[in-house]
Amino acid sequence: MGEWAFLGSLLDAVQLQSPLVGRLWLVVMLIFRILVLATVGGAVFEDEQEEFVCNTLQPGCRQTCYDRAFPVSHYRFWLFHILLLSAPPVLFVIYSVHRAGKQAGGADAGPGPPPRRRCYLLSVALRLLAELAFLAGQALLYGFRVAPHFACAGPPCPHTVDCFVSRPTEKTVFVLFYFAVGLLSALLSVAELGHLLCKGRPRAGRRRQAAERDGRRHRARPDPCGPPAYPHPAPASDSEGGSGHSKASLATVRQDLAI
């Protein structure tokens, strides 16, 4: 249980920078996977090889048949699954601690939150890919039922040998439970990924609108180095000499036409 507690403490540090959906995923990971597998899974699958009985005394036949029936043990397969799922969040915690240390020392001049958010988005995407890959692997390797009887043929067995699995119903229930938890975890990862993507789009839109608004404000601002824009006075109308001005203008037009 010491190894599980250490892994749980690392995953618990992720919730400080996770949204609500990410915290729900951590609850499913810690309770319905790590805790259940550490307390119940070991007791269900610890004697699977010892209790795998075949109706033959041929040396090596039982071990060969067990390897053919279960290429990878359920328990070890799920252990590797949990370790691989925990890798992206743990790497994100390491990156966050490293970046916080650089910002505290003044060595990082770039903006803090956007790179950390992109790193968290990448960790959720990798976690989802690992979840889907292991769900497909479990379905291909074991299916959804642990059969009580397994017929084995081939060397070193002299003939077709009947082998029997211990507690097949209990193991079938556990396999279905773990597959259902995997589906729930994958759905939570999809929801968290969609939440992060939708949350980032309005911020980018607001930043673009603010930049456009600042640009329009800058273009509308008068140039302080340009000439002053004084209003041009309107020409004064002379009621008395209006006819003289019109005659002079008419004469000038006639001279231009004559030229």
Side-chain angles (χ1 to χ4, degrees), residues 4-24:
W4 293 114
F6 175 71
L7 183 60
S9 63
L10 290 177
L11 291 176
D12 191 51
V14 184
Q15 69 174 349
L16 299 176
Q17 303 183 25
S18 300
L20 178 60
V21 184
R23 296 180 182 181
L24 291 176

Side-chain angles (χ1 to χ4, degrees), residues 21-22 24-25 28 127 183-193:
V21 184
L24 291 176
W25 180 86
V28 173
R127 189 181 73 199
L183 288 178
L184 177 60
S185 179
L187 291 177
L188 290 176
S189 297
V190 171
E192 185 176 5
L193 196 63

Side-chain angles (χ1 to χ4, degrees), residues 33 77-86 130-131 134 178:
R33 274 191 166 155
F77 180 82
W78 291 328
L79 284 179
F80 184 66
H81 185 192
I82 289 177
L83 292 178
L84 193 60
L85 282 180
S86 304
E131 189 75 70
F134 271 92
Y178 199 87

Side-chain angles (χ1 to χ4, degrees), residues 103-172:
Q103 289 179 351
D108 191 4
R116 187 178 295 114
R117 182 183 171 276
R118 288 194 295 269
C119 183
Y120 184 78
L121 189 65
L122 179 61
S123 69
V124 175
L126 292 177
R127 189 181 73 199
L128 177 60
L129 290 178
E131 189 75 70
L132 295 177
F134 271 92
L135 286 176
Q138 178 178 337
L140 292 175
L141 284 175
Y142 312 113
F144 303 99
R145 177 175 175 268
V146 178
H149 172 260
F150 178 75
C152 178
C157 302
H159 50 79
T160 301
V161 176
D162 295 323
C163 299
F164 303 93
V165 181
S166 65
R167 294 177 295 176
T169 304
E170 184 178 6
K171 292 177 180 179
T172 299

Side-chain angles (χ1 to χ4, degrees), residues 190-250:
V190 171
E192 185 176 5
L193 196 63
H195 171 73
L196 292 174
L197 292 176
C198 294
K199 187 178 179 181
R201 288 179 181 176
R203 291 183 177 179
R206 285 196 296 267
R207 287 196 298 266
R208 185 165 54 251
Q209 292 176 2
E212 293 176 356
R213 187 167 53 251
D214 293 340
R216 289 195 300 267
R217 189 178 304 167
H218 180 72
R219 289 193 299 268
R221 188 179 302 166
D223 189 4
C225 299
Y230 295 108
H232 296 284
S237 60
D238 190 356
S239 60
E240 296 179 355
S243 59
H245 286 294
S246 60
K247 291 179 180 180
S249 301
L250 184 58

Side-chain angles (χ1 to χ4, degrees), residues 32-55:
F32 294 100
R33 274 191 166 155
I34 294 179
L35 185 60
V36 171
L37 192 62
T39 55
V40 181
V44 173
F45 292 94
E46 64 181 357
D47 61 344
E48 56 181 350
Q49 188 171 3
E50 288 78 7
E51 297 298 328
F52 188 79
V53 180
C54 299
N55 58 353

